[in-house]
Amino acid sequence: MQEFSKQMKEGAEESLTSISLAISVLAVLVAMVTVLGHRSHTEAVLVQSTEGDQWNLYQAKKNREENMQLDVDMLQLQPTADAKARDAKVAEYRVSLAKWKDQLPQEQAKAEELEQEVARAESRAGRFDLGEALLQISVVLSSITLFTRRRSYFVGGLLLGAGGVAVAASAWLVR
């Protein structure tokens, strides 16, 4: 009877050791997913800054184009003694206007592309955050097993941990 009791205690300790090891692995996964989430948030902020710069560039070129068009209109309405010089200047301005008119859609497309990249980075970060939360809950839930000796908490923790890993891994599928 004493020998059986001793074997049961040793078996329980071995079981708790494997549970402790699993909790440690879950904690490492939490740390990894946390770092990935922080990096995704940082990426989103950096790209958002670049996006703002791109929209500012677009707006500056748009304003320059509108001002140049206004200058052309004003030059054409002004009476002048040297019509040849005025027409040369208007022709020069029209060349610049044509160049800017071609550039504006490209600048706008770059800015819109950066907007989409920000949205993707934020979506990835959100998935990493959810995965992190699920993994943290799984660590806590699994830890309860050490106090209560009920394996149902451990199984529930492992299921939540698997869900957290799956959600975090799905962040790489965001396109």
Side-chain angles (χ1 to χ4, degrees), residues 23-86:
I23 292 170
S24 298
V25 169
L26 287 171
V28 168
L29 289 172
V30 168
M32 291 170 56
V33 171
T34 300
V35 168
L36 291 171
H38 289 293
R39 286 183 176 210
S40 291
H41 283 292
T42 301
E43 176 189 0
V45 168
L46 292 174
V47 174
Q48 192 170 34
S49 174
T50 305
E51 173 204 353
D53 292 345
Q54 185 62 39
W55 277 118
N56 288 337
L57 177 64
Y58 168 81
Q59 193 61 44
K61 286 185 175 185
K62 182 78 172 154
N63 287 341
R64 191 170 50 186
E65 177 195 35
E66 289 172 357
N67 286 337
M68 179 83 55
Q69 184 61 52
L70 184 63
D71 289 345
V72 167
D73 293 344
M74 295 293 279
L75 276 174
Q76 288 178 330
L77 294 174
Q78 290 291 327
T80 183
D82 189 2
K84 217 177 211 181
R86 180 196 64 203

Short mmCIF file of all heavy atoms in Angstrom, two decimals, residues 23-86:
data_model
loop_
_atom_site.label_atom_id
_atom_site.label_comp_id
_atom_site.label_asym_id
_atom_site.label_seq_id
_atom_site.Cartn_x
_atom_site.Cartn_y
_atom_site.Cartn_z
N ILE A 23 3.64 25.04 -19.57
CA ILE A 23 3.36 26.44 -19.22
C ILE A 23 4.54 27.33 -19.62
O ILE A 23 4.35 28.43 -20.14
CB ILE A 23 3.04 26.57 -17.71
CG1 ILE A 23 1.70 25.90 -17.40
CG2 ILE A 23 3.01 28.03 -17.28
CD1 ILE A 23 1.41 25.75 -15.92
N SER A 24 5.75 26.83 -19.42
CA SER A 24 6.94 27.58 -19.83
C SER A 24 6.96 27.80 -21.34
O SER A 24 7.29 28.88 -21.82
CB SER A 24 8.21 26.86 -19.40
OG SER A 24 8.25 26.75 -18.00
N VAL A 25 6.61 26.78 -22.08
CA VAL A 25 6.56 26.90 -23.55
C VAL A 25 5.50 27.93 -23.95
O VAL A 25 5.73 28.77 -24.83
CB VAL A 25 6.29 25.53 -24.21
CG1 VAL A 25 5.97 25.69 -25.69
CG2 VAL A 25 7.47 24.61 -24.01
N LEU A 26 4.35 27.88 -23.28
CA LEU A 26 3.29 28.87 -23.57
C LEU A 26 3.79 30.28 -23.26
O LEU A 26 3.51 31.22 -24.01
CB LEU A 26 2.03 28.55 -22.76
CG LEU A 26 1.21 27.36 -23.20
CD1 LEU A 26 0.12 27.04 -22.18
CD2 LEU A 26 0.60 27.60 -24.58
N ALA A 27 4.54 30.45 -22.18
CA ALA A 27 5.06 31.77 -21.82
C ALA A 27 6.05 32.27 -22.88
O ALA A 27 6.05 33.46 -23.21
CB ALA A 27 5.74 31.71 -20.45
N VAL A 28 6.87 31.37 -23.40
CA VAL A 28 7.79 31.76 -24.48
C VAL A 28 7.00 32.19 -25.71
O VAL A 28 7.34 33.18 -26.37
CB VAL A 28 8.76 30.61 -24.80
CG1 VAL A 28 9.53 30.88 -26.08
CG2 VAL A 28 9.72 30.38 -23.64
N LEU A 29 5.95 31.46 -26.03
CA LEU A 29 5.10 31.83 -27.18
C LEU A 29 4.46 33.20 -26.96
O LEU A 29 4.35 33.99 -27.90
CB LEU A 29 4.04 30.76 -27.42
CG LEU A 29 4.56 29.43 -27.97
CD1 LEU A 29 3.44 28.38 -27.99
CD2 LEU A 29 5.15 29.61 -29.36
N VAL A 30 4.04 33.47 -25.73
CA VAL A 30 3.47 34.80 -25.41
C VAL A 30 4.51 35.87 -25.72
O VAL A 30 4.20 36.89 -26.36
CB VAL A 30 3.02 34.89 -23.93
CG1 VAL A 30 2.72 36.33 -23.55
CG2 VAL A 30 1.82 34.02 -23.67
N ALA A 31 5.74 35.66 -25.28
CA ALA A 31 6.79 36.65 -25.50
C ALA A 31 7.05 36.86 -26.99
O ALA A 31 7.19 37.99 -27.46
CB ALA A 31 8.08 36.20 -24.80
N MET A 32 7.09 35.77 -27.74
CA MET A 32 7.34 35.88 -29.19
C MET A 32 6.22 36.64 -29.89
O MET A 32 6.47 37.53 -30.72
CB MET A 32 7.52 34.48 -29.79
CG MET A 32 8.79 33.79 -29.35
SD MET A 32 8.88 32.05 -29.82
CE MET A 32 8.65 32.11 -31.58
N VAL A 33 4.99 36.29 -29.57
CA VAL A 33 3.85 36.95 -30.22
C VAL A 33 3.78 38.42 -29.79
O VAL A 33 3.43 39.29 -30.60
CB VAL A 33 2.54 36.19 -29.90
CG1 VAL A 33 1.32 36.97 -30.36
CG2 VAL A 33 2.57 34.81 -30.55
N THR A 34 4.14 38.71 -28.55
CA THR A 34 4.17 40.10 -28.08
C THR A 34 5.15 40.93 -28.90
O THR A 34 4.83 42.04 -29.34
CB THR A 34 4.54 40.16 -26.59
OG1 THR A 34 3.57 39.44 -25.84
CG2 THR A 34 4.59 41.59 -26.08
N VAL A 35 6.34 40.39 -29.12
CA VAL A 35 7.35 41.11 -29.91
C VAL A 35 6.85 41.32 -31.34
O VAL A 35 6.99 42.42 -31.90
CB VAL A 35 8.69 40.34 -29.90
CG1 VAL A 35 9.66 40.91 -30.92
CG2 VAL A 35 9.31 40.40 -28.51
N LEU A 36 6.27 40.29 -31.92
CA LEU A 36 5.74 40.43 -33.30
C LEU A 36 4.64 41.49 -33.35
O LEU A 36 4.56 42.26 -34.31
CB LEU A 36 5.22 39.08 -33.79
CG LEU A 36 6.29 38.03 -34.06
CD1 LEU A 36 5.65 36.66 -34.32
CD2 LEU A 36 7.17 38.44 -35.22
N GLY A 37 3.79 41.52 -32.33
CA GLY A 37 2.74 42.54 -32.29
C GLY A 37 3.31 43.94 -32.19
O GLY A 37 2.87 44.86 -32.89
N HIS A 38 4.31 44.11 -31.33
CA HIS A 38 4.93 45.43 -31.19
C HIS A 38 5.59 45.86 -32.50
O HIS A 38 5.50 47.02 -32.90
CB HIS A 38 5.96 45.42 -30.06
CG HIS A 38 5.36 45.35 -28.70
ND1 HIS A 38 4.60 46.35 -28.14
CD2 HIS A 38 5.39 44.37 -27.77
CE1 HIS A 38 4.20 46.01 -26.94
NE2 HIS A 38 4.66 44.80 -26.68
N ARG A 39 6.24 44.93 -33.15
CA ARG A 39 6.89 45.26 -34.43
C ARG A 39 5.85 45.64 -35.49
O ARG A 39 6.07 46.54 -36.28
CB ARG A 39 7.74 44.10 -34.91
CG ARG A 39 9.01 43.97 -34.13
CD ARG A 39 9.89 42.88 -34.67
NE ARG A 39 11.14 42.87 -33.91
CZ ARG A 39 12.28 42.50 -34.41
NH1 ARG A 39 12.35 42.08 -35.66
NH2 ARG A 39 13.36 42.52 -33.68
N SER A 40 4.73 44.96 -35.49
CA SER A 40 3.67 45.30 -36.46
C SER A 40 3.09 46.68 -36.18
O SER A 40 2.82 47.44 -37.11
CB SER A 40 2.56 44.25 -36.42
OG SER A 40 3.02 43.03 -36.94
N HIS A 41 2.91 47.00 -34.90
CA HIS A 41 2.41 48.34 -34.56
C HIS A 41 3.44 49.41 -34.97
O HIS A 41 3.06 50.46 -35.51
CB HIS A 41 2.12 48.45 -33.06
CG HIS A 41 0.85 47.80 -32.65
ND1 HIS A 41 -0.40 48.28 -33.03
CD2 HIS A 41 0.61 46.71 -31.89
CE1 HIS A 41 -1.34 47.51 -32.52
NE2 HIS A 41 -0.76 46.55 -31.82
N THR A 42 4.71 49.13 -34.74
CA THR A 42 5.76 50.08 -35.12
C THR A 42 5.79 50.26 -36.63
O THR A 42 5.91 51.38 -37.13
CB THR A 42 7.13 49.60 -34.61
OG1 THR A 42 7.07 49.47 -33.19
CG2 THR A 42 8.23 50.56 -34.99
N GLU A 43 5.67 49.16 -37.35
CA GLU A 43 5.65 49.23 -38.82
C GLU A 43 4.48 50.10 -39.28
O GLU A 43 4.63 50.93 -40.17
CB GLU A 43 5.52 47.83 -39.41
CG GLU A 43 5.39 47.83 -40.93
CD GLU A 43 5.06 46.46 -41.49
OE1 GLU A 43 4.93 45.49 -40.73
OE2 GLU A 43 4.90 46.37 -42.72
N ALA A 44 3.32 49.91 -38.67
CA ALA A 44 2.14 50.69 -39.05
C ALA A 44 2.37 52.18 -38.82
O ALA A 44 2.02 53.01 -39.67
CB ALA A 44 0.92 50.21 -38.27
N VAL A 45 2.99 52.52 -37.70
CA VAL A 45 3.25 53.93 -37.40
C VAL A 45 4.24 54.52 -38.40
O VAL A 45 4.05 55.64 -38.90
CB VAL A 45 3.77 54.09 -35.95
CG1 VAL A 45 4.32 55.48 -35.70
CG2 VAL A 45 2.66 53.78 -34.96
N LEU A 46 5.30 53.77 -38.70
CA LEU A 46 6.30 54.27 -39.66
C LEU A 46 5.71 54.44 -41.05
O LEU A 46 5.97 55.45 -41.73
CB LEU A 46 7.50 53.33 -39.70
CG LEU A 46 8.35 53.29 -38.42
CD1 LEU A 46 9.43 52.22 -38.52
CD2 LEU A 46 8.97 54.64 -38.13
N VAL A 47 4.94 53.47 -41.49
CA VAL A 47 4.33 53.57 -42.82
C VAL A 47 3.30 54.70 -42.84
O VAL A 47 3.17 55.42 -43.83
CB VAL A 47 3.70 52.22 -43.25
CG1 VAL A 47 2.94 52.36 -44.55
CG2 VAL A 47 4.78 51.17 -43.39
N GLN A 48 2.59 54.88 -41.73
CA GLN A 48 1.61 55.96 -41.66
C GLN A 48 2.30 57.32 -41.77
O GLN A 48 1.78 58.24 -42.41
CB GLN A 48 0.82 55.86 -40.36
CG GLN A 48 -0.40 56.73 -40.33
CD GLN A 48 -1.28 56.40 -39.13
OE1 GLN A 48 -0.78 56.06 -38.06
NE2 GLN A 48 -2.57 56.53 -39.30
N SER A 49 3.47 57.44 -41.18
CA SER A 49 4.24 58.67 -41.30
C SER A 49 4.65 58.91 -42.75
O SER A 49 4.53 60.02 -43.27
CB SER A 49 5.48 58.58 -40.41
OG SER A 49 6.30 59.70 -40.60
N THR A 50 5.11 57.86 -43.41
CA THR A 50 5.49 57.96 -44.83
C THR A 50 4.28 58.30 -45.67
O THR A 50 4.36 59.10 -46.62
CB THR A 50 6.12 56.64 -45.30
OG1 THR A 50 7.22 56.33 -44.45
CG2 THR A 50 6.59 56.74 -46.74
N GLU A 51 3.14 57.71 -45.32
CA GLU A 51 1.90 58.00 -46.05
C GLU A 51 1.54 59.49 -45.93
O GLU A 51 1.19 60.14 -46.92
CB GLU A 51 0.76 57.15 -45.49
CG GLU A 51 -0.59 57.51 -46.08
CD GLU A 51 -1.75 57.13 -45.16
OE1 GLU A 51 -1.52 56.47 -44.13
OE2 GLU A 51 -2.87 57.53 -45.49
N GLY A 52 1.67 60.02 -44.72
CA GLY A 52 1.39 61.45 -44.52
C GLY A 52 2.31 62.32 -45.35
O GLY A 52 1.88 63.31 -45.96
N ASP A 53 3.59 61.94 -45.38
CA ASP A 53 4.55 62.68 -46.21
C ASP A 53 4.16 62.62 -47.68
O ASP A 53 4.27 63.61 -48.40
CB ASP A 53 5.96 62.12 -46.03
CG ASP A 53 6.53 62.36 -44.64
OD1 ASP A 53 5.98 63.20 -43.90
OD2 ASP A 53 7.53 61.69 -44.30
N GLN A 54 3.72 61.45 -48.12
CA GLN A 54 3.34 61.28 -49.52
C GLN A 54 2.12 62.13 -49.86
O GLN A 54 2.07 62.76 -50.91
CB GLN A 54 3.06 59.80 -49.83
CG GLN A 54 2.77 59.52 -51.28
CD GLN A 54 3.94 59.86 -52.19
OE1 GLN A 54 5.09 59.63 -51.86
NE2 GLN A 54 3.63 60.41 -53.35
N TRP A 55 1.13 62.16 -48.96
CA TRP A 55 -0.04 63.00 -49.20
C TRP A 55 0.35 64.48 -49.20
O TRP A 55 -0.19 65.27 -49.98
CB TRP A 55 -1.14 62.74 -48.18
CG TRP A 55 -1.99 61.56 -48.53
CD1 TRP A 55 -2.15 60.42 -47.81
CD2 TRP A 55 -2.82 61.39 -49.69
NE1 TRP A 55 -3.00 59.55 -48.44
CE2 TRP A 55 -3.44 60.13 -49.60
CE3 TRP A 55 -3.08 62.17 -50.81
CZ2 TRP A 55 -4.30 59.64 -50.58
CZ3 TRP A 55 -3.95 61.69 -51.78
CH2 TRP A 55 -4.55 60.44 -51.66
N ASN A 56 1.29 64.87 -48.35
CA ASN A 56 1.76 66.26 -48.34
C ASN A 56 2.45 66.60 -49.65
O ASN A 56 2.27 67.71 -50.17
CB ASN A 56 2.70 66.50 -47.15
CG ASN A 56 1.97 66.53 -45.83
OD1 ASN A 56 0.77 66.80 -45.77
ND2 ASN A 56 2.68 66.24 -44.76
N LEU A 57 3.25 65.67 -50.17
CA LEU A 57 3.90 65.89 -51.45
C LEU A 57 2.86 66.04 -52.56
O LEU A 57 2.96 66.95 -53.40
CB LEU A 57 4.85 64.73 -51.76
CG LEU A 57 5.56 64.78 -53.11
CD1 LEU A 57 6.49 66.00 -53.18
CD2 LEU A 57 6.34 63.50 -53.34
N TYR A 58 1.87 65.17 -52.55
CA TYR A 58 0.80 65.26 -53.55
C TYR A 58 0.11 66.62 -53.46
O TYR A 58 -0.10 67.29 -54.47
CB TYR A 58 -0.21 64.13 -53.33
CG TYR A 58 -1.48 64.31 -54.11
CD1 TYR A 58 -1.55 63.95 -55.45
CD2 TYR A 58 -2.63 64.86 -53.52
CE1 TYR A 58 -2.71 64.13 -56.18
CE2 TYR A 58 -3.79 65.04 -54.26
CZ TYR A 58 -3.82 64.67 -55.58
OH TYR A 58 -4.98 64.86 -56.30
N GLN A 59 -0.23 67.02 -52.23
CA GLN A 59 -0.94 68.29 -52.06
C GLN A 59 -0.07 69.47 -52.48
O GLN A 59 -0.57 70.42 -53.10
CB GLN A 59 -1.37 68.46 -50.59
CG GLN A 59 -2.37 69.58 -50.38
CD GLN A 59 -3.65 69.37 -51.16
OE1 GLN A 59 -4.20 68.28 -51.18
NE2 GLN A 59 -4.13 70.40 -51.80
N ALA A 60 1.22 69.43 -52.19
CA ALA A 60 2.12 70.51 -52.60
C ALA A 60 2.18 70.62 -54.12
O ALA A 60 2.11 71.72 -54.68
CB ALA A 60 3.51 70.28 -52.02
N LYS A 61 2.29 69.47 -54.78
CA LYS A 61 2.33 69.50 -56.25
C LYS A 61 0.99 69.97 -56.82
O LYS A 61 0.96 70.69 -57.82
CB LYS A 61 2.69 68.11 -56.80
CG LYS A 61 4.15 67.78 -56.62
CD LYS A 61 4.51 66.46 -57.28
CE LYS A 61 6.00 66.21 -57.18
NZ LYS A 61 6.40 65.00 -57.90
N LYS A 62 -0.09 69.55 -56.20
CA LYS A 62 -1.42 69.98 -56.66
C LYS A 62 -1.56 71.50 -56.50
O LYS A 62 -2.05 72.18 -57.42
CB LYS A 62 -2.49 69.24 -55.85
CG LYS A 62 -3.90 69.55 -56.25
CD LYS A 62 -4.27 68.82 -57.50
CE LYS A 62 -5.75 69.01 -57.76
NZ LYS A 62 -6.05 68.88 -59.17
N ASN A 63 -1.13 72.02 -55.36
CA ASN A 63 -1.20 73.47 -55.15
C ASN A 63 -0.31 74.21 -56.13
O ASN A 63 -0.70 75.25 -56.67
CB ASN A 63 -0.78 73.82 -53.72
CG ASN A 63 -1.82 73.43 -52.70
OD1 ASN A 63 -2.98 73.22 -53.03
ND2 ASN A 63 -1.40 73.32 -51.45
N ARG A 64 0.88 73.68 -56.37
CA ARG A 64 1.80 74.30 -57.32
C ARG A 64 1.19 74.31 -58.72
O ARG A 64 1.27 75.30 -59.45
CB ARG A 64 3.13 73.56 -57.30
CG ARG A 64 4.23 74.26 -58.04
CD ARG A 64 5.57 73.64 -57.80
NE ARG A 64 5.53 72.20 -58.00
CZ ARG A 64 6.53 71.38 -57.74
NH1 ARG A 64 7.66 71.85 -57.26
NH2 ARG A 64 6.42 70.09 -57.97
N GLU A 65 0.54 73.21 -59.08
CA GLU A 65 -0.10 73.13 -60.39
C GLU A 65 -1.22 74.18 -60.51
O GLU A 65 -1.32 74.89 -61.51
CB GLU A 65 -0.68 71.73 -60.61
CG GLU A 65 -1.43 71.60 -61.92
CD GLU A 65 -2.29 70.35 -61.98
OE1 GLU A 65 -2.85 69.96 -60.95
OE2 GLU A 65 -2.41 69.80 -63.08
N GLU A 66 -2.02 74.27 -59.47
CA GLU A 66 -3.14 75.24 -59.51
C GLU A 66 -2.62 76.67 -59.55
O GLU A 66 -3.18 77.52 -60.27
CB GLU A 66 -4.05 75.02 -58.30
CG GLU A 66 -4.84 73.73 -58.41
CD GLU A 66 -5.62 73.40 -57.14
OE1 GLU A 66 -5.51 74.14 -56.13
OE2 GLU A 66 -6.34 72.38 -57.15
N ASN A 67 -1.56 76.94 -58.78
CA ASN A 67 -0.98 78.30 -58.81
C ASN A 67 -0.38 78.62 -60.17
O ASN A 67 -0.52 79.73 -60.67
CB ASN A 67 0.08 78.45 -57.72
CG ASN A 67 -0.52 78.55 -56.34
OD1 ASN A 67 -1.69 78.92 -56.18
ND2 ASN A 67 0.25 78.19 -55.33
N MET A 68 0.27 77.63 -60.76
CA MET A 68 0.86 77.84 -62.09
C MET A 68 -0.24 78.08 -63.12
O MET A 68 -0.09 78.94 -63.99
CB MET A 68 1.72 76.63 -62.48
CG MET A 68 2.37 76.74 -63.83
SD MET A 68 3.90 77.66 -63.92
CE MET A 68 4.94 76.89 -62.74
N GLN A 69 -1.33 77.35 -63.01
CA GLN A 69 -2.44 77.54 -63.94
C GLN A 69 -3.02 78.95 -63.78
O GLN A 69 -3.35 79.61 -64.76
CB GLN A 69 -3.53 76.49 -63.70
CG GLN A 69 -4.68 76.57 -64.70
CD GLN A 69 -4.22 76.36 -66.14
OE1 GLN A 69 -3.55 75.39 -66.45
NE2 GLN A 69 -4.59 77.29 -67.03
N LEU A 70 -3.11 79.38 -62.55
CA LEU A 70 -3.58 80.75 -62.28
C LEU A 70 -2.62 81.77 -62.89
O LEU A 70 -3.05 82.77 -63.50
CB LEU A 70 -3.72 80.97 -60.78
CG LEU A 70 -4.30 82.31 -60.34
CD1 LEU A 70 -5.73 82.47 -60.86
CD2 LEU A 70 -4.26 82.43 -58.84
N ASP A 71 -1.31 81.52 -62.76
CA ASP A 71 -0.32 82.42 -63.36
C ASP A 71 -0.47 82.47 -64.88
O ASP A 71 -0.39 83.55 -65.48
CB ASP A 71 1.11 81.96 -63.01
CG ASP A 71 1.45 82.19 -61.55
OD1 ASP A 71 0.73 82.95 -60.86
OD2 ASP A 71 2.44 81.58 -61.08
N VAL A 72 -0.69 81.33 -65.49
CA VAL A 72 -0.87 81.27 -66.94
C VAL A 72 -2.10 82.10 -67.33
O VAL A 72 -2.05 82.91 -68.27
CB VAL A 72 -1.01 79.82 -67.43
CG1 VAL A 72 -1.52 79.75 -68.87
CG2 VAL A 72 0.32 79.10 -67.31
N ASP A 73 -3.19 81.89 -66.60
CA ASP A 73 -4.42 82.65 -66.90
C ASP A 73 -4.19 84.15 -66.74
O ASP A 73 -4.65 84.95 -67.57
CB ASP A 73 -5.55 82.19 -65.98
CG ASP A 73 -5.99 80.76 -66.27
OD1 ASP A 73 -5.65 80.23 -67.35
OD2 ASP A 73 -6.67 80.16 -65.40
N MET A 74 -3.50 84.52 -65.68
CA MET A 74 -3.26 85.95 -65.42
C MET A 74 -2.35 86.55 -66.50
O MET A 74 -2.59 87.67 -66.96
CB MET A 74 -2.62 86.14 -64.04
CG MET A 74 -3.53 85.75 -62.89
SD MET A 74 -4.95 86.80 -62.74
CE MET A 74 -4.25 88.17 -61.88
N LEU A 75 -1.31 85.80 -66.89
CA LEU A 75 -0.41 86.30 -67.94
C LEU A 75 -1.15 86.51 -69.25
O LEU A 75 -0.89 87.48 -69.97
CB LEU A 75 0.74 85.32 -68.16
CG LEU A 75 1.93 85.43 -67.22
CD1 LEU A 75 2.91 84.29 -67.48
CD2 LEU A 75 2.63 86.77 -67.39
N GLN A 76 -2.06 85.60 -69.57
CA GLN A 76 -2.78 85.72 -70.83
C GLN A 76 -3.76 86.89 -70.81
O GLN A 76 -4.08 87.44 -71.86
CB GLN A 76 -3.53 84.42 -71.13
CG GLN A 76 -2.59 83.31 -71.52
CD GLN A 76 -3.32 82.00 -71.76
OE1 GLN A 76 -4.35 81.73 -71.17
NE2 GLN A 76 -2.76 81.19 -72.65
N LEU A 77 -4.23 87.28 -69.65
CA LEU A 77 -5.18 88.39 -69.55
C LEU A 77 -4.49 89.75 -69.44
O LEU A 77 -5.13 90.78 -69.65
CB LEU A 77 -6.10 88.18 -68.33
CG LEU A 77 -7.04 86.99 -68.42
CD1 LEU A 77 -7.78 86.81 -67.11
CD2 LEU A 77 -8.02 87.15 -69.58
N GLN A 78 -3.23 89.75 -69.11
CA GLN A 78 -2.50 91.01 -68.92
C GLN A 78 -2.14 91.64 -70.28
O GLN A 78 -1.64 90.94 -71.17
CB GLN A 78 -1.19 90.76 -68.15
CG GLN A 78 -1.36 90.39 -66.72
CD GLN A 78 -1.89 91.55 -65.89
OE1 GLN A 78 -1.60 92.71 -66.16
NE2 GLN A 78 -2.71 91.22 -64.92
N PRO A 79 -2.38 92.93 -70.39
CA PRO A 79 -1.89 93.60 -71.60
C PRO A 79 -0.36 93.70 -71.51
O PRO A 79 0.19 93.86 -70.43
CB PRO A 79 -2.53 94.99 -71.53
CG PRO A 79 -2.91 95.18 -70.11
CD PRO A 79 -3.09 93.82 -69.51
N THR A 80 0.30 93.55 -72.64
CA THR A 80 1.76 93.57 -72.62
C THR A 80 2.30 94.23 -73.87
O THR A 80 1.66 94.22 -74.92
CB THR A 80 2.32 92.14 -72.50
OG1 THR A 80 3.73 92.21 -72.42
CG2 THR A 80 1.93 91.27 -73.65
N ALA A 81 3.48 94.76 -73.72
CA ALA A 81 4.16 95.37 -74.86
C ALA A 81 4.95 94.31 -75.62
O ALA A 81 5.22 94.46 -76.81
CB ALA A 81 5.09 96.49 -74.39
N ASP A 82 5.32 93.23 -74.92
CA ASP A 82 6.13 92.17 -75.54
C ASP A 82 5.35 90.85 -75.51
O ASP A 82 5.54 90.02 -74.63
CB ASP A 82 7.46 92.05 -74.79
CG ASP A 82 8.44 91.14 -75.51
OD1 ASP A 82 8.10 90.63 -76.60
OD2 ASP A 82 9.53 90.91 -74.96
N ALA A 83 4.47 90.68 -76.48
CA ALA A 83 3.61 89.49 -76.54
C ALA A 83 4.44 88.23 -76.76
O ALA A 83 4.09 87.15 -76.27
CB ALA A 83 2.58 89.64 -77.65
N LYS A 84 5.56 88.35 -77.47
CA LYS A 84 6.41 87.20 -77.72
C LYS A 84 6.99 86.65 -76.41
O LYS A 84 7.03 85.44 -76.19
CB LYS A 84 7.54 87.63 -78.66
CG LYS A 84 7.93 86.60 -79.64
CD LYS A 84 8.99 87.15 -80.56
CE LYS A 84 8.81 86.49 -81.91
NZ LYS A 84 9.77 86.91 -82.87
N ALA A 85 7.48 87.52 -75.55
CA ALA A 85 8.06 87.11 -74.26
C ALA A 85 6.98 86.48 -73.38
O ALA A 85 7.21 85.47 -72.71
CB ALA A 85 8.69 88.30 -73.56
N ARG A 86 5.78 87.10 -73.38
CA ARG A 86 4.67 86.55 -72.60
C ARG A 86 4.30 85.16 -73.10
O ARG A 86 4.14 84.22 -72.31
CB ARG A 86 3.44 87.48 -72.68
CG ARG A 86 2.28 86.92 -71.88
CD ARG A 86 0.96 87.56 -72.20
NE ARG A 86 0.64 87.24 -73.61
CZ ARG A 86 -0.17 87.95 -74.35
NH1 ARG A 86 -0.74 89.04 -73.89
NH2 ARG A 86 -0.42 87.60 -75.60
#
